[in-house]
């Protein structure tokens, strides 16, 4: 029996109320419980207030940052990205999306408590739906071989998944909401996770979770919540970004809470929402050269980390600030960004092969220009995806594109590890795919 117009309107209203409730949950948990805790405990840190609707209210901050790029109004560029299609299936806001390191799959985490796997080469791209979390999926990280996935949730658990069987193989319970998770790239038996109680845990997944502190082999308490984590390729060094605006690098072989090096991000040390590292430029590089750091002040800081060839902890270079991008909206939301390091960037004489005539599969899309670029893409609270060209010939950076199409906040953007393909996910419950070839 078909529903009446009144019944349909009622169902629509209930759906809208559900989405608004999810959005309010994100605001309150991420900001009030995470950031306010730090500002109360540490009076010198930046304070945060929320209005009755859960919106962030604070004094405007104006930063004087070196090498600030001009935000060009002329966004036409030969390396432009174009909308391809949507990935639909989530029943709540999509908070995070990540390409697997081999580039075959995308994983997305949502307010609907699920993780969905997508294969862009299939006519029906959704591969599987991973269930088990009881609250918002806050972060996900792939293993280098693409066969494992770790996820962190506001239900205080970090889960390890076998991608082929779509099953949970391990589950660890932390003390607070899980804010960040990462797998050790040199051994998939080691994982790190941070929570809203200012803890950073190092787990040996071979140790049963029933042991003390959920099987953690190391734990330290930071001065504020750690919102994002990155494991160096050597498997020894762990980078953390926290609410006090510090980037800290720890040697996990002596995980005593004392970083081997620290870097204050920005002049006012605003809380860090996310960090990302570019893919290695060549197969001989141990580490990607560039680091992008999002902060809750509408600024993305870009650092040059130098070149890494198996450096030990005693010789880790301090990243050098080279650009600070503005334009996107990040102040009230934990927005994530991503880097694309073209294979010919820095080698102007080398050019990739020309495109074949006719339509090509999405994963074979190429551009003779984009592979000579260094790009940064970021989500934004104004429903746009911002794409910056940060590798100008004169060392400049400029806003290249504003990608339109999402109808609500864009939480995360992620580039394919090899090809010029961008995925963005949003509070509109969709993931959008962007490529260098316009939709036909």
């Amino acid at each position: 029996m078909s529903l009446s117009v009144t019944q349909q309107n009622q169902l629509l209203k209930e759906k809208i109320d559900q989405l608004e409730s999810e959005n309010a949950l994100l605001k309150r948990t991420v900001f009030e419980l995470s950031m306010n805790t730090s500002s109360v405990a540490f009076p010198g840190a930046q304070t945060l207030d929320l209005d009755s609707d859960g919106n962030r209210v604070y004094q405007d901050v104006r930063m004087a940052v070196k090498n600030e790029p001009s935000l060009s109004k002329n966004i036409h560029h030969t390396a432009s990205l174009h909308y391809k299609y949507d990935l639909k299936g989530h029943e709540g806001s999509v908070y995070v999306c990540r390409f697997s390191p081999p580039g075959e799959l995308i994983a997305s985490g949502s307010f609907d408590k699920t993780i969905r796997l997508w294969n862009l080469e299939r006519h029906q791209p959704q591969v599987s739906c991973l269930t088990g979390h009881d609250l918002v999926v806050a972060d996900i990280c792939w293993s280098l071989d693409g066969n494992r996935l770790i996820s962190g949730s506001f239900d205080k658990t970090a889960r390890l998944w076998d991608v082929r069987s779509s099953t949970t193989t391990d589950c660890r319970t932390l003390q607070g909401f899980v804010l960040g998770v990462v797998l050790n790239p040199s051994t998939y038996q080691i994982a790190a996770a941070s929570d809203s109680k200012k803890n950073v845990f190092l787990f040996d997944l071979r140790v049963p979770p029933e042991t003390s502190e959920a099987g953690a082999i190391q734990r330290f308490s930071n001065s504020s919540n750690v919102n994002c984590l990155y494991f160096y390729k050597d498997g020894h060094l762990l980078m953390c970004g926290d609410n006090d605006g510090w980037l800290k690098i720890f040697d996990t072989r002596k995980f005593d809470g004392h970083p081997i090096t620290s870097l204050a991000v920005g002049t006012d040390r605003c809380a860090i929402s996310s960090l990302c590292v570019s893919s290695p430029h060549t197969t001989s590089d141990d580490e990607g050269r560039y680091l992008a750091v999002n902060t809750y002040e509408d600024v993305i800081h870009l650092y040059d980390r130098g070149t890494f060839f198996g450096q030990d902890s005693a010789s880790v270079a301090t990243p050098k600030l080279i650009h600070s991008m503005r334009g996107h909206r990040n102040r009230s939301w934990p927005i994530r960004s991503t880097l694309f390091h073209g294979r010919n960037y820095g080698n102007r004489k080398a050019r990739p092969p020309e495109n074949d005539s006719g339509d090509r599969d999405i994963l074979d899309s190429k551009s003779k220009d984009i592979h000579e670029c260094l790009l940064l893409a970021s989500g934004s609270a104004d429903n746009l995806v911002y794409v910056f060209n940060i590798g100008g010939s004169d060392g400049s950076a400029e806003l290249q594109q504003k990608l339109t199409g999402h109808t609500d906040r864009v939480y995360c953007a992620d580039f394919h590890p090899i090809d010029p393909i961008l995925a963005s996910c949003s509070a509109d419950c969709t993931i959008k795919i962007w490529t260098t070839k316009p939709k036909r």
Side-chain angles (χ1 to χ4, degrees):
M1 182 176 65
S2 60
L3 298 175
S4 67
V5 174
T6 302
Q7 290 173 318
Q8 291 177 0
N9 289 340
Q10 180 62 29
L11 290 175
L12 180 59
K13 183 180 183 300
E14 291 175 358
K15 183 65 174 179
I16 292 173
D17 289 342
Q18 177 188 353
L19 293 176
E20 289 179 347
S21 176
E22 290 173 346
N23 290 339
L25 172 65
L26 175 69
K27 290 182 179 181
R28 289 294 173 185
T29 51
V30 172
F31 291 99
E32 187 177 71
L33 296 177
S34 297
M35 296 179 69
N36 269 353
T37 302
S38 296
S39 61
V40 170
F42 302 93
Q46 183 186 33
T47 60
L48 172 73
D49 295 309
L50 300 175
D51 63 20
S52 59
D53 295 323
N55 294 313
R56 189 181 183 195
V57 180
Y58 61 95
Q59 183 177 2
D60 190 22
V61 178
R62 300 294 180 187
M63 294 180 58
V65 185
K66 296 180 180 179
N67 297 328
E68 175 113 9
S70 60
L71 301 182
S72 173
K73 295 182 180 179
N74 181 11
I75 60 175
H76 177 72
H77 196 276
T78 55
S80 297
L81 294 168
H82 305 272
Y83 169 75
K84 194 72 174 181
Y85 54 72
D86 285 353
L87 301 177
K88 296 182 178 180
H90 280 294
E91 297 176 357
S93 302
V94 188
Y95 189 54
V96 58
C97 61
R98 299 292 187 201
F99 279 99
S100 65
E104 297 175 355
L105 299 175
I106 297 177
S108 56
S110 171
F111 284 20
D112 66 11
K113 312 170 190 176
T114 70
I115 301 159
R116 296 176 192 255
L117 304 181
W118 314 84
N119 187 327
L120 301 188
E121 293 183 317
R122 295 189 178 184
H123 179 66
Q124 298 292 335
Q126 182 170 311
V127 176
S128 60
C129 178
L130 310 182
T131 60
H133 283 300
D134 296 324
L135 284 174
V136 177
V137 178
D139 197 19
I140 51 180
C141 177
W142 288 91
S143 63
L144 281 181
D145 60 7
N147 293 327
R148 300 169 184 84
L149 184 74
I150 190 171
S151 60
S153 168
F154 285 178
D155 65 7
K156 302 183 181 181
T157 67
R159 289 179 176 268
L160 185 69
W161 306 85
D162 180 86
V163 172
R164 294 178 180 176
S165 63
S166 300
T167 58
T168 299
T169 59
D170 201 292
C171 181
R172 306 292 165 124
T173 301
L174 281 67
Q175 297 177 7
F177 302 129
V178 181
L179 303 178
V181 290
V182 65
L183 281 172
N184 188 317
S186 65
T187 170
Y188 306 138
Q189 303 299 329
I190 304 295
S194 61
D195 69 14
S196 59
K197 298 294 186 180
K198 308 175 189 176
N199 298 307
V200 178
F201 293 86
L202 194 66
F203 295 105
D204 186 337
L205 300 177
R206 293 164 294 190
V207 177
E210 295 79 14
T211 59
S212 61
E213 291 194 318
I217 55 176
Q218 300 278 2
R219 179 182 72 85
F220 79 88
S221 294
N222 193 45
S223 59
S224 65
N225 287 339
V226 171
N227 298 318
C228 43
L229 303 165
Y230 171 78
F231 247 125
Y232 281 60
K233 297 297 188 296
D234 66 2
H236 299 313
L237 304 182
L238 180 69
M239 182 185 296
C240 304
D242 69 19
N243 273 356
D244 289 336
W246 285 98
L247 279 179
K248 300 177 181 179
I249 300 176
F250 298 89
D251 188 337
T252 59
R253 293 167 293 187
K254 47 181 180 181
F255 208 46
D256 54 6
H258 301 292
I260 59 175
T261 186
S262 299
L263 174 67
V265 176
T267 57
D268 291 281
R269 294 212 335 256
C270 190
I272 296 170
S273 62
S274 72
L275 59 87
C276 70
V277 174
S278 62
S279 298
H281 193 189
T282 67
T283 55
S284 63
D285 287 345
D286 287 344
E287 288 288 332
R289 179 161 186 167
Y290 299 97
L291 167 69
V293 182
N294 286 52
T295 60
Y296 288 105
E297 57 185 346
D298 295 347
V299 180
I300 306 172
H301 302 278
L302 181 72
Y303 294 89
D304 187 342
R305 305 169 68 213
T307 54
F308 292 76
F309 297 96
Q311 295 184 5
D312 58 29
S313 61
S315 59
V316 174
T318 300
K320 177 184 177 182
L321 178 67
I322 55 177
H323 293 300
S324 293
M325 275 67 65
R326 297 177 186 266
H328 74 300
R329 296 292 177 263
N330 193 90
R331 292 200 174 192
S332 296
W333 304 97
I335 303 297
R336 293 175 167 98
S337 60
T338 181
L339 289 163
F340 177 78
H341 193 166
R343 59 173 171 261
N344 294 322
Y345 173 70
N347 180 11
R348 301 293 177 182
K349 295 182 180 180
R351 302 183 71 88
E354 299 287 342
N355 286 340
D356 295 337
S357 59
D359 199 8
R360 233 179 189 185
D361 186 88
I362 183 173
L363 293 182
D364 291 326
S365 62
K366 293 185 173 68
S367 166
K368 66 179 181 181
D369 294 312
I370 199 168
H371 283 290
E372 296 175 356
C373 296
L374 180 63
L375 302 179
L376 184 148
S378 177
S380 180
D382 59 6
N383 309 351
L384 302 174
V385 180
Y386 285 72
V387 182
F388 298 89
N389 186 339
I390 54 178
S393 58
D394 57 351
S396 63
E398 66 176 355
L399 177 63
Q400 176 173 300
Q401 280 185 283
K402 296 179 183 179
L403 303 179
T404 61
H406 284 294
T407 58
D408 209 332
R409 292 171 298 278
V410 181
Y411 287 122
C412 179
D414 195 51
F415 272 115
H416 188 277
I418 302 170
D419 295 312
I421 304 168
L422 178 68
S424 59
C425 61
S426 167
D428 64 13
C429 307
T430 70
I431 304 161
K432 292 188 182 296
I433 303 300
W434 315 81
T435 72
T436 54
K437 296 179 67 175
K439 182 178 179 182
R440 298 186 177 184

